[in-house]
Amino acid sequence: MIAMIRQKLGIKLFIAFMSVILIGAVVLVVTIQLTTPTAFFRHMGGMEMGMGMGVGRGAGRGGAQVLYDEFRSGVNEALGIAALAAIVVALGASLAISRRIIAPLQVLSVASQRIAEGKFDERVPVNGVDELGQLAESFNKMAERLEQVENMRRQLIG
């Protein structure tokens, strides 16, 4: 199973995206759990509930509506804070994961530019056996053959 994951870039990307979603969901749940009580009690405090709530004055339909509105405001506030925290953490995780995946492609790009400039001794490190590793291997073989052809050309001209 782990060998298959190391060999397929598509599986790595899928796992990376699922990791970002999972991290975002965990941050969302944790933030809701931490912020809901504070938001709820702050909004409930705005109602100025007296000791007689439920007996007489606030027990009517209007009191229930106010209670519901304040509860909803508290939950919405907590959800907004949690969503913002989840987005920030998910963006950070996504950036870190994508940089790790893109780094070998950037190395290949720089190396290919150097070969285009005639520096045929350029090689790239082969990290892993996935598609990027296979591409790095193929690139190194190509560079080696180009270097051999260039050496043969120089010998022929000399």
Side-chain angles (χ1 to χ4, degrees):
M1 176 73 168
I2 292 177
M4 185 176 79
I5 291 172
R6 289 184 179 173
Q7 293 176 355
K8 300 291 181 184
L9 181 61
I11 293 174
K12 287 181 183 178
L13 289 173
F14 177 77
I15 290 172
F17 292 137
M18 289 298 109
S19 299
V20 169
I21 290 170
L22 181 64
I23 289 169
V26 167
V27 169
L28 185 66
V29 168
V30 168
T31 309
I32 286 174
Q33 294 301 316
L34 294 175
T35 60
T36 298
T38 304
F40 178 73
F41 288 120
R42 184 173 51 252
H43 286 279
M44 290 302 290
M47 287 181 52
E48 301 176 12
M49 293 190 336
M51 293 297 290
M53 182 78 173
V55 182
R57 327 184 268 198
R61 178 119 170 95
Q65 185 62 42
V66 170
L67 178 61
Y68 172 75
D69 290 343
E70 292 299 325
F71 172 76
R72 195 167 94 182
S73 295
V75 170
N76 286 341
E77 180 182 325
L79 187 59
I81 292 169
L84 182 64
I87 288 169
V88 168
V89 171
L91 282 173
S94 181
L95 246 164
I97 291 170
S98 63
R99 282 187 180 172
R100 181 169 159 79
I101 292 172
I102 296 300
L105 293 174
Q106 291 173 330
V107 169
L108 275 167
S109 177
V110 169
S112 67
Q113 289 172 358
R114 291 179 53 90
I115 284 185
E117 295 168 357
K119 297 175 179 132
F120 298 113
D121 60 339
E122 187 72 24
R123 301 295 183 273
V124 294
V126 177
N127 300 326
V129 293
D130 62 358
E131 289 91 344
L132 291 176
Q134 293 169 5
L135 179 61
E137 227 173 89
S138 296
F139 180 88
N140 287 339
K141 286 179 187 175
M142 178 197 69
E144 184 179 333
R145 288 192 183 134
L146 284 171
E147 187 175 24
Q148 289 171 356
V149 167
E150 180 63 17
N151 288 338
M152 287 171 46
R153 185 188 69 80
R154 285 184 186 161
Q155 287 175 356
L156 184 64
I157 290 175

